[in-house]
Amino acid sequence: MIKFLFRSIAALFALSLPVTAQETSIPTLQADAIPSVLEKAVDRFIRPGYRDFRDRAGDFEEAMQVLCTAPSQERLDAARGAFGKSVEAWSKIEIVRVGPAIEANRFERILFYPDRKGTGLKQVQAVLAKPDERATRVETLREKSVAMQGLGAAEFVLYGTGSELLLQEANGFRCRYGAAIAGNLAHLGSELAQEWDEPTGIQNAWKHPGADNPYFRDDREAVTTLLGILVHGAEAVRDQRIETFYKGEDARTSPRQAIFWRSGLTFASIRGNFEGISALIDQSDMDKLLDPDSRSIVNSIDFVLKSLSRAAGAVDADVEVSVTSPEQRSKLDFLLLNSKDLILRLNDDFGGALGLGAGFSFSDGD
């Protein structure tokens, strides 16, 4: 059923278009460029992105194992650094919320967020309070709640209440649990990389749309999904990353609802999301889908993305500070305003220029 998600999105999209809009917009889409764009999206962005996450998670697993064997502040710092690299790698590729990433609950197992009711946090705290050895082995940890397996759980192990125990006991439960989480992340990264590296698998489906293709019947459906990745990714940053803790100048703030607030990686993650969107556009040469007279649309999107990435990198890493300091709040306001602008440029301007229908929202079906 999951394999037909792409087709369902594309079908909804087509139904939302008036015939006249389709007729007047289709010539703008440079059909000859589609095969190359799809191939580059897969080979230059998606496959390298999953490989990078797999490798960074592998480094994290190794750093945790070293820490467990002989705890020291230097080794704890190294494990935290490796965790940060894993977060950054995932943040860039997580915009690809289609295909293998959403099968077998992989996405939630890597990152269970948002956790508005604190369900995941309670489960992690519970296993730390009442140790269960099944949580210290990758093969049995995978059988537990998705909230106990991923980056959020790893962050609490490394930075949450009781993290000082990591320095007090060799091969302690908390450290071995953290090492199992890291191993699970590396395993999931390997699964994703293998799925996309298989020549006859999903990469072939992306590169060769057709009547017998379980994902895309034609090039147009594939391009619709590619643009949908960008739009949904931009909406997720605004709705699930920023507005989770900051909705504007006069609204109540919730800094402890921010992703990775304990580790100070909130804005590194947000920056990574914007960089992922930018990289997908650049690496796949998506501007080539438009005729030369319309390519300034992509240039303007690139400008907004670079501005958002710089702004995210300039916000104080301490979320408590970012929501209380007037100077920092102005940066958050910039992120809110311009992330909305990004969504409109991707959905209305770029989508409209491709003949995919201005005003359609990929995520909520407006």
Side-chain angles (χ1 to χ4, degrees):
M1 183 174 182
I2 291 173
K3 289 186 176 181
F4 291 92
L5 175 63
F6 303 112
R7 185 172 295 174
S8 298
I9 293 173
L12 279 172
F13 221 166
L15 288 172
S16 73
L17 292 173
V19 174
T20 54
Q22 295 183 64
E23 290 173 349
T24 57
S25 299
I26 287 175
T28 308
L29 175 61
Q30 303 298 292
D32 291 347
I34 294 176
S36 175
V37 168
L38 294 174
E39 182 173 350
K40 289 174 182 176
V42 171
D43 291 343
R44 293 183 176 183
F45 177 75
I46 297 176
R47 292 172 63 201
Y50 284 129
R51 289 173 187 164
D52 186 47
F53 172 67
R54 173 199 63 196
D55 294 346
R56 299 293 76 74
D59 293 341
F60 178 35
E61 180 184 19
E62 182 178 349
M64 286 300 302
Q65 290 173 344
V66 170
L67 171 64
C68 295
T69 301
S72 70
Q73 187 61 53
E74 180 181 5
R75 291 182 173 187
L76 176 57
D77 291 344
R80 286 174 170 172
F83 168 75
K85 295 294 185 183
S86 299
V87 167
E88 291 173 4
W90 176 249
S91 297
K92 292 175 183 177
I93 193 61
E94 74 167 308
I95 63 169
V96 185
R97 301 188 184 198
V98 296
I102 61 171
E103 296 171 0
N105 294 320
R106 289 190 183 100
F107 194 93
E108 291 78 11
R109 287 161 64 192
I110 293 172
L111 181 60
F112 183 76
Y113 184 86
D115 182 15
R116 294 186 177 89
K117 296 183 179 180
T119 303
L121 174 61
K122 291 173 185 175
Q123 291 173 347
V124 173
Q125 290 173 323
V127 79
L128 290 172
K130 189 177 181 180
D132 178 355
E133 286 298 321
R134 289 175 298 176
T136 65
R137 298 185 298 275
V138 174
E139 59 272 17
T140 47
L141 176 61
R142 290 167 61 85
E143 300 170 359
K144 292 188 171 294
S145 163
V146 295
M148 297 175 61
Q149 300 182 27
L151 292 167
E155 184 195 33
F156 190 85
V157 167
L158 288 169
Y159 294 92
T161 303
S163 59
E164 65 277 1
L165 294 174
L166 293 170
L167 292 173
Q168 297 176 7
E169 180 184 5
N171 292 313
F173 176 82
R174 188 182 189 111
C175 193
R176 289 185 291 115
Y177 171 41
I181 296 171
N184 184 55
L185 291 168
H187 182 82
L188 288 165
S190 294
E191 285 185 345
L192 289 167
Q194 288 170 6
E195 289 267 8
W196 280 96
D197 284 345
E198 170 55 50
T200 61
I202 189 169
Q203 67 158 289
N204 183 66
W206 270 68
K207 294 175 182 178
H208 303 102
D212 297 327
N213 188 318
Y215 292 95
F216 309 119
R217 288 173 298 186
D218 54 43
D219 286 349
R220 191 176 178 81
E221 286 192 353
V223 170
T224 298
T225 297
L226 187 60
L227 181 62
I229 288 173
L230 299 175
V231 175
H232 183 78
E235 289 179 333
V237 177
R238 179 182 170 86
D239 300 343
Q240 298 179 9
R241 296 296 184 265
I242 303 171
E243 288 196 336
T244 299
F245 70 93
Y246 184 80
K247 291 183 171 65
E249 184 177 355
D250 299 323
R252 180 176 176 272
T253 61
S254 305
R256 295 199 173 190
Q257 290 294 315
I259 193 169
F260 301 127
W261 67 268
R262 291 181 178 84
S263 56
L265 292 170
T266 300
F267 300 105
S269 174
I270 291 173
R271 185 180 68 244
N273 293 155
F274 288 133
E275 290 175 348
I277 295 171
S278 181
L280 177 53
I281 294 171
D282 292 344
Q283 293 299 318
S284 61
D285 288 338
M286 285 187 72
D287 62 314
K288 300 299 191 296
L289 294 173
L290 300 176
D291 61 57
D293 293 337
S294 302
R295 290 175 187 172
S296 61
I297 292 171
V298 178
N299 293 334
S300 68
I301 291 171
D302 182 65
F303 177 82
V304 173
L305 280 165
K306 285 182 168 58
S307 298
L308 284 165
S309 296
R310 285 194 298 269
V315 183
D316 195 296
D318 187 332
V319 186
E320 297 274 4
V321 173
S322 72
V323 299
T324 55
S325 161
E327 179 185 358
Q328 295 298 316
R329 285 173 73 103
S330 68
K331 297 175 183 178
L332 295 178
D333 289 333
F334 179 91
L335 289 174
L336 274 180
L337 177 65
N338 286 277
S339 59
K340 181 177 181 180
D341 180 46
L342 174 64
I343 294 166
L344 293 174
R345 288 177 186 271
L346 288 168
N347 190 70
D348 296 0
D349 297 350
F350 198 17
L354 291 174
L356 299 180
F360 182 92
S361 172
F362 288 82
S363 67
D364 61 22
D366 285 348

